Amino acid sequence: MPGQAEPDRPAARSGHVPVFLGRTIELFRPVVEAAASEGRRPVVVDGTLGLGGHSSHLLAEFDDLRIVGVDRDPEALEMATRRLTAYRDRFTAVHARFDDFGAVVASLPADARDAAGPAIDGVLLDFGVSSMQLDVADRGFAYAVDAPLDMRMDPTTGPTAADVLATYARDDLARVFRIYGEERFARQIAAEIVRRRGTTPLTTSAELVELLYDTIPAGARRTGGHPGKRVFQALRIEVNAELEAVENAVPGYLDLLRGGGRAVFMAYHSLEDRIVKREISTRTASRTPAGLPVELPGHGPEFESVTRGAEKADQTEIDHNPRSASVRVRCVRRIDGRTA
């Protein structure tokens, strides 16, 4: 049953308040109450666990809730697991990318099923880089701190940002900067990287920032914010195949929701939000062929929107947590049930 988080509980003592925390709790409250009315214990997948901020507060708020927390970063997963020790009987940690449905389904409680198979009551996907990854200097995510150009969310596998800069062709680099970073000077930056790496490969964030200052015109630097912001974002997205994961995860988790289940998506980049919006638009539309005068049985919408479009942080939250300034939150509810 739902319970109020007490000031001295572990979740409440966290220093960092997650984005849209209060709203996230309220969006999931109906699924917890529905499960209780059916005599079930609800299961929510936190597909982007990070340091466990959202999960810790949800577990503190809802006494019967079980959470499967997924993260590809082993360091973040270990820290979150320690943070959630008080809830170890209701929390399961999974080391995987959030679209690894084999790992997620294998970690669900045995009773998380309906007539169609594995089923969950809710999913939270808070896309983008976590606070820990930004704040730990040696991971190379932050352009304001000199560090090796790594940027891997799972530092145990895959190419680094330095590898991308050392091996991608000029046109491929320009594409990454233009599409993922919306960088106006993508071609010039890519050309300069290729020219310099012929003698001195870029290996640290300070070296890349220096190159950007030398390449981007002074006038653009004065009006466009820090020159590293867009390029570092683009490299991070490329290194971690973030958009590929989002493309896979959004429809996959919607398919796992039981009837009445809810999905909450938090996007910080227009490309992420576009993927979410497109899938929601498809799932909330009628599947009856156009032109028919009545809705065909079984062809109604699969989902309904809970939020009106994308909700944004208010100024109070932005002042308290500047990282919430770009977030777009969308929530949908499954209304058609599932059939075996």
Side-chain angles (χ1 to χ4, degrees):
M1 295 293 292
Q4 295 301 314
E6 298 169 2
D8 60 345
R9 298 182 75 165
R13 294 201 301 266
S14 165
H16 171 67
V17 178
V19 171
F20 260 68
L21 176 60
R23 181 61 169 144
T24 300
I25 291 172
E26 292 313 306
L27 287 171
F28 283 122
R29 188 178 299 280
V31 302
V32 174
E33 294 175 346
S37 71
E38 298 168 7
R40 297 187 297 103
R41 297 179 64 200
V43 175
V44 168
V45 173
D46 183 347
T48 46
L49 180 66
L51 293 181
H54 286 102
S55 283
S56 65
H57 286 83
L58 287 166
L59 289 164
E61 181 73 14
F62 303 117
D63 294 336
D64 286 338
L65 179 64
R66 294 170 293 174
I67 286 183
V68 174
V70 185
D71 208 289
R72 67 169 75 176
D73 187 330
E75 183 178 356
L77 199 66
E78 180 183 354
M79 294 172 70
T81 300
R82 289 201 305 267
R83 177 181 187 176
L84 298 173
T85 297
Y87 307 108
R88 57 184 172 272
D89 59 332
R90 297 190 285 128
F91 171 73
T92 302
V94 180
H95 180 214
R97 202 168 83 167
F98 56 71
D99 62 336
D100 184 348
F101 293 106
V104 172
V105 169
S107 301
L108 294 177
D111 62 344
R113 303 182 66 84
D114 65 10
I120 59 177
D121 296 274
V123 60
L124 171 64
L125 292 175
D126 183 3
F127 300 124
V129 66
S130 76
S131 300
M132 186 276 289
Q133 289 159 342
L134 285 171
D135 294 340
V136 176
D138 61 7
R139 299 295 291 275
F141 288 97
Y143 49 79
V145 180
D146 190 21
L149 283 169
D150 192 315
M151 297 194 191
R152 292 173 297 173
M153 291 182 180
D154 182 349
T156 67
T157 185
T160 67
D163 294 331
V164 170
L165 295 176
T167 61
Y168 276 33
R170 183 193 64 186
D171 289 348
D172 290 332
L173 285 172
R175 171 188 55 80
V176 168
F177 300 149
R178 183 181 68 255
I179 296 176
Y180 297 161
E182 300 175 305
E183 172 56 64
R184 284 193 298 153
F185 299 98
R187 290 191 63 81
Q188 295 94 316
I189 294 168
E192 183 61 16
I193 289 171
V194 171
R195 187 187 71 80
R196 290 200 190 185
R197 76 188 186 193
T199 55
T200 309
L202 295 166
T203 60
T204 70
S205 52
E207 292 168 352
L208 179 56
V209 168
E210 180 184 9
L211 180 147
L212 296 174
Y213 269 102
D214 291 343
T215 307
I216 297 174
R221 294 202 309 270
R222 285 194 293 269
T223 59
H226 194 287
K229 180 178 181 180
R230 294 178 295 278
V231 169
F232 274 64
Q233 172 183 275
L235 281 172
R236 189 201 80 220
I237 291 173
E238 176 69 12
V239 165
N240 295 289
E242 291 180 31
L243 294 184
E244 173 189 303
V246 175
E247 289 271 13
N248 295 334
V250 175
Y253 280 110
L254 292 179
D255 288 342
L256 272 179
L257 287 175
R258 65 169 69 245
R262 292 187 172 199
V264 176
F265 303 106
M266 299 183 180
Y268 299 80
H269 187 283
S270 61
L271 295 176
E272 296 166 345
D273 188 52
R274 196 174 304 156
I275 294 167
V276 174
K277 182 179 179 181
R278 183 179 66 236
E279 188 67 23
I280 287 176
S281 178
T282 299
R283 299 292 188 112
T284 56
S286 169
R287 291 165 288 175
T288 296
L292 293 185
V294 295
E295 189 88 79
L296 293 178
H299 286 68
E302 297 175 84
F303 290 82
E304 65 179 4
S305 292
V306 177
T307 54
R308 296 185 61 181
E311 294 186 1
K312 303 177 183 180
D314 60 24
Q315 193 58 49
T316 299
E317 175 155 4
I318 294 171
D319 291 342
H320 183 64
N321 183 2
R323 291 174 182 166
S324 69
S326 59
V327 72
R328 302 293 181 267
V329 179
R330 299 179 189 269
C331 177
V332 292
R333 172 180 175 268
R334 183 154 209 152
I335 58 176
D336 74 338
R338 304 195 316 164
T339 56

